[in-house]
Amino acid sequence: MIYNASAECMDRKALERLQMERLQQTVKHVYENVPLYKERFDAKGITPGDIKTLEDLELLPFTVKDDLRQTYPFGMFAVSMRQVARIHASSGTTGHPIVVGYTSEDINTWAEAIARTLSAGGTTVGDIVHNAYGYGLFTGGLGIHYGAERLGAAVVPISGGQTKRQVQLLQDFGSNVICCTPSYALYIGEMAAEAELDLEKLPLRAGFFGAEPWTEAMRKTIEDCLGIEALDIYGLSEVMGPGVSYNCLLKCGLHINEDFFIPEIIDPITGKPLPPGETGELVFTTITKEAFPVIRYRTRDITSLSYEKCSCGRTFARMQRVSGRTDDMLIIRGVNIFPSQIESVLMEIEETEPHYQLIVDRQEKSLDTLEVWVEVSANIFSDEMRKLEALQKKVRHEIEALLGISVSVKLVEPRTIARSEGKAKRIIDKREI
Amino acid sequence: MAVTQISVFLENKSGRLAELTEILAEASINIRALSVAETVDYGVLRLIVDKPDLACERLRQAGFTITETQVLALEIPDRPGGLADVIRLLSNAGINVEYVYAFVGKAKDNAIVVLRLEEIDQAVKLLKKHGLEAVPAENIYRM
Ligand SMILES: [Zn+2]
């Protein structure tokens, strides 16, 4: 179901005109009201009038998380506190938390984004939405809450915790939709199994999961164990909160609310924009936000964009599921490589969380080599040598096809790769750079 | 009729085979037959033991990747060409032999070989017609 077809299925030409108009307003707004932006624009010799086409976005400076820390608490707010209706903040384990603000119009926009999200997963008026995202400074709980209300659904604002009770209420209320983190969904599934409750028999139909990285394998597990459609929802508080992008029921990427946010993919090293389809760092510019607009905010999330129209009818660009963070990037023979890309290949082949390690080395004549060590799990082990050799070849070919550089693959015994605190060290870089 | 064979993934590094045999010895498990197939980096060790269930449990606990396969143990005349006759017989019937290795023990005048093939039941019937007897699993484990 499409909540707002006139926006979500808008002709791309018309969408680009709308984006252009809104981008110009936003650039003017931040230039006049946020000192940090004025300073940065001035330093580059740019005035709001220089932004004449969407391509001119490239002229604008990036914003990074540290900028938001340095201006703690309200330095990036573009309106006076009289106009601010709500404040959220990240938990921030190190340094200052990231503080973001919303005008009542921003909250409206946000509710619209979530209403589109929930609707894309089949939520309708009359449905009961079990909202187990945390309520509070975190954007998850209230973000979903307002969107579900906007859609006309009945919200159960249960927040996190007390899982036994959650399972009980899911059953007693006959909730149709659940919203929480993917790992919490699995936990609920386990608790239900313990209570010998067959979740598949409940009216529960769909779940909207986000706020932490997850995989296609997890999606399958959740769908099987809860008997629902498991949909991916993406967002970050710096840009707005949940609802920046969302799966439709085809689950082929996440539709970005492009009338509110302009996405870009850049090379994380050079900062140069990359063409559609290429993998790089996701960058967002908000174009409707009043209280806390951001210009070219670097999310550090790794993904790629597709502008092809989806079979669901939406024209909004789709981002692939976030596959990693820029912090993990490797450069080998001039090619940017993310361990998560290799992980996704192994996941496809092994159908389970793979254990692997990347060994990067440099030979004479400064040729970098990449060796992929794969632990042979019972899933992929065969007692026939030709099958093991075929497996090794398949892994190598698929990684090479994806990365465009040659690699070697080594099959190793389980527990070869050292794990500390349950997490394996993924990269051994032996190069002396 | 089929015999349980345990296959173990092993990297070619020193000490691993010794470690494995120690684990089996500690659990008083006897190795009845053994073969290794290998490449430069790794190999597959194939084992027939007297207590396959216990062996699997101990090896899994020790972190080895293992798999169980059903194989056929067959008595063949201990003379030149004895094995070749059997393989020809099977391949003429369209039964593909994945690999074969010899058994350590002997039965009277006959040698025992271990055959890995897809259609065990079909092969047993065919071989029986030609006077070749599969060795029951219990006998193999007890040998
Ligand atoms: Zn779609």
Side-chain angles (χ1 to χ4, degrees):
Chain A
M1 272 159 284
I2 299 179
Y3 179 74
N4 184 347
S6 66
E8 292 170 82
C9 305
M10 196 186 289
D11 168 67
R12 287 218 57 98
K13 281 260 147 47
L15 176 61
E16 279 165 21
R17 272 197 302 277
L18 178 71
Q19 285 181 322
M20 188 58 229
E21 211 174 278
R22 290 182 170 174
L23 174 64
Q24 283 171 328
Q25 284 164 6
T26 297
V27 168
K28 188 164 178 290
H29 179 50
V30 299
Y31 189 77
E32 286 167 0
N33 296 297
V34 183
L36 181 126
Y37 281 120
K38 182 171 187 328
E39 228 171 81
R40 294 265 169 93
F41 285 21
D42 287 347
K44 288 193 104 184
I46 300 164
T47 64
D50 294 331
I51 307 303
K52 296 193 178 74
T53 69
L54 282 177
E55 283 72 50
D56 293 336
L57 191 57
E58 248 183 85
L59 304 173
L60 298 172
F62 291 115
T63 311
V64 296
K65 195 171 212 147
D66 201 47
D67 294 329
L68 311 187
R69 287 225 167 85
Q70 297 297 330
T71 51
Y72 175 85
F74 305 134
M76 298 293 275
F77 282 29
V79 297
S80 80
M81 203 49 77
R82 300 173 66 95
Q83 290 166 272
V84 173
R86 197 193 300 163
I87 293 167
H88 279 289
S90 71
S91 50
T93 43
T94 51
H96 288 308
I98 304 293
V99 181
V100 296
Y102 304 79
T103 64
S104 58
E105 191 49 40
D106 290 336
I107 288 170
N108 270 335
T109 308
W110 192 7
E112 161 88 23
I114 294 289
R116 292 176 187 176
T117 303
L118 295 175
S119 183
T123 315
T124 57
V125 178
D127 277 343
I128 299 177
V129 175
H130 182 101
N131 185 15
Y133 280 112
Y135 280 68
L137 279 177
F138 170 60
T139 49
L142 284 170
I144 298 286
H145 186 103
Y146 276 63
E149 283 190 356
R150 164 71 66 89
L151 183 64
V155 196
V156 182
I158 192 142
S159 198
Q162 289 190 283
T163 312
K164 260 202 185 117
R165 187 154 164 265
Q166 300 229 6
V167 172
Q168 187 68 48
L169 294 189
L170 271 173
Q171 182 181 18
D172 296 349
F173 292 0
S175 301
N176 309 96
V177 169
I178 181 166
C179 301
C180 61
T181 60
S183 54
Y184 195 62
L186 284 176
Y187 188 54
I188 285 180
E190 278 166 31
M191 290 294 261
E194 238 170 67
E196 287 177 13
L197 171 68
D198 188 356
L199 285 173
E200 289 199 38
K201 291 209 178 101
L202 298 187
L204 198 61
R205 215 171 51 228
F208 297 84
F209 307 113
E212 68 186 20
W214 55 311
T215 60
E216 279 307 310
M218 256 176 108
R219 164 149 31 211
K220 217 186 154 295
T221 310
I222 293 172
E223 291 191 333
D224 289 347
C225 128
L226 271 65
I228 59 169
E229 301 271 5
L231 300 152
D232 201 354
I233 168 170
Y234 172 86
L236 58 173
S237 57
E238 298 95 309
V239 174
M240 182 181 69
V244 171
S245 66
Y246 55 95
N247 268 154
C248 64
L249 282 168
L250 298 171
K251 300 170 200 162
C252 49
L254 294 93
H255 290 282
I256 296 167
N257 278 305
E258 275 188 287
D259 51 342
F260 305 149
F261 316 103
I262 300 178
E264 292 173 273
I265 297 289
I266 62 158
D267 179 318
I269 301 296
T270 64
K272 284 266 172 290
L274 296 173
E278 287 201 20
T279 300
E281 180 178 357
L282 181 62
V283 170
F284 278 113
T285 299
T286 65
I287 50 173
T288 53
K289 277 177 78 189
E290 297 175 338
F292 197 87
V294 285
I295 302 293
R296 303 192 85 199
Y297 182 72
R298 296 184 61 157
T299 64
R300 295 202 275 183
D301 285 332
I302 299 300
T303 184
S304 64
L305 294 177
S306 161
Y307 288 87
E308 250 170 69
K309 185 176 169 180
C310 182
S311 312
C312 72
R314 289 177 182 82
T315 50
F316 281 167
R318 279 169 287 160
M319 55 183 260
Q320 281 308 305
R321 176 193 287 283
V322 169
S323 66
R325 309 276 296 159
T326 51
D327 316 60
D328 306 325
M329 193 180 73
L330 276 169
I331 306 174
I332 297 168
R333 281 173 251 156
V335 179
N336 296 344
I337 296 195
F338 305 101
S340 54
Q341 292 176 289
I342 290 163
E343 183 164 332
S344 68
V345 168
L346 295 174
M347 179 94 72
E348 282 287 308
I349 293 171
E350 295 196 39
E351 294 179 344
T352 175
E353 303 283 340
H355 290 297
Y356 65 97
Q357 194 164 48
L358 308 179
I359 317 286
V360 188
D361 209 341
R362 178 164 289 175
Q363 297 180 331
E364 284 170 52
K365 295 176 192 163
S366 73
L367 186 67
D368 294 343
T369 59
L370 174 61
E371 193 171 53
V372 182
W373 286 19
V374 183
E375 283 189 5
V376 174
S377 63
N379 261 19
I380 51 172
F381 179 49
S382 159
D383 85 312
E384 290 170 42
M385 294 301 281
R386 62 185 171 92
K387 287 193 182 155
L388 285 175
E389 281 165 8
L391 169 78
Q392 201 173 0
K393 225 178 250 173
K394 185 178 181 197
V395 171
R396 181 162 60 85
H397 284 163
E398 293 198 8
I399 292 173
E400 287 180 347
L402 185 70
L403 303 182
I405 62 162
S406 63
V407 301
S408 61
V409 171
K410 189 175 169 190
L411 301 181
V412 299
E413 281 175 35
R415 303 186 197 177
T416 301
I417 295 159
R419 294 168 178 67
S420 58
E421 290 160 19
K423 270 195 162 180
K425 189 166 165 42
R426 290 293 176 219
I427 302 165
I428 308 274
D429 200 335
K430 296 177 175 170
R431 294 174 295 186
E432 285 162 22
I433 300 173
Chain B
M1 195 53 76
V3 178
T4 300
Q5 171 192 264
I6 302 168
S7 303
V8 188
F9 181 82
L10 279 184
E11 268 180 82
N12 291 346
K13 50 188 184 190
S14 61
R16 288 301 276 162
L17 191 55
E19 212 176 299
L20 182 139
T21 49
E22 271 161 33
I23 289 166
L24 296 180
E26 262 169 41
S28 305
I29 294 165
N30 280 323
I31 298 173
R32 294 296 181 219
L34 172 153
S35 100
V36 181
E38 58 186 342
T39 65
V40 183
D41 293 326
Y42 62 86
V44 177
L45 175 71
R46 298 166 185 141
L47 288 169
I48 292 175
V49 300
D50 57 347
K51 298 174 202 114
D53 292 344
L54 180 63
C56 285
E57 187 193 311
R58 290 296 160 89
L59 291 174
R60 280 204 184 97
Q61 271 172 6
F64 285 99
T65 292
I66 63 169
T67 180
E68 292 170 68
T69 14
Q70 300 304 308
V71 293
L72 183 65
L74 189 70
E75 269 187 52
I76 57 165
D78 195 7
R79 59 167 170 79
L83 179 60
D85 292 345
V86 172
I87 305 256
R88 194 174 317 117
L89 196 61
L90 291 168
S91 81
N92 286 346
I95 299 170
N96 180 39
V97 179
E98 207 63 61
Y99 53 79
V100 56
Y101 56 95
F103 204 80
V104 190
K106 259 183 139 190
K108 285 172 281 172
D109 294 333
N110 289 341
I112 298 176
V113 290
V114 176
L115 296 156
R116 164 90 163 98
L117 25 79
E118 291 298 329
E119 303 87 358
I120 290 188
D121 293 343
Q122 200 190 328
V124 168
K125 270 184 217 147
L126 174 77
L127 293 165
K128 195 165 189 175
K129 253 191 256 166
H130 291 80
L132 294 159
E133 284 292 331
V135 187
E138 313 86 67
N139 296 5
I140 290 291
Y141 301 148
R142 244 187 278 128
M143 265 175 110

